[in-house]
Amino acid sequence: PITAVRAALLRDIKSHILDNLRQHGLSIHGVANRHDISVSYVRQLFAAEGTTFSEFVLQQRLAAADAMLRDPHFADRSVTAIAFEAGFGDVGYFNRIFRRRFGKKPADARTTLRKD
């Protein structure tokens, strides 16, 4: 069970991740250093929620990219630009993982927007 102190620390870590999602260099080591805790402790905090640091970051980046692809304010940006904006450093990887998560290509998410 996660204690109140651990829960607060995890909330703070997640907030930091969300604030820095666009940084390609976002890493568990950097987060651990920023919070003055060990990498293994960061892993334990996420494990207590049944996930990992990497899975959390990936899901947040995918959610951000999906939201941008559907947002008319981002209609002038390419899928590549949106992938980088969401924190992905490799567009091929982004396309594969987006398709795996949402069952369609990133461009198809945008196509859906344009048909609405």
Side-chain angles (χ1 to χ4, degrees), residues 39-75:
V39 168
S40 63
Y41 191 56
V42 175
R43 286 191 182 112
Q44 287 174 24
L45 291 171
F46 281 96
E49 287 201 333
T51 191
T52 66
F53 174 86
S54 297
E55 288 170 354
F56 179 79
V57 171
L58 177 61
Q59 293 310 315
Q60 297 306 311
R61 284 178 170 163
L62 283 170
D66 185 50
M68 284 187 268
L69 286 166
R70 296 170 181 281
D71 186 335
H73 295 101
F74 291 90

Side-chain angles (χ1 to χ4, degrees), residues 73-84:
H73 295 101
F74 291 90
D76 62 329
R77 298 208 188 139
S78 68
V79 169
T80 298
I82 287 174
F84 285 120

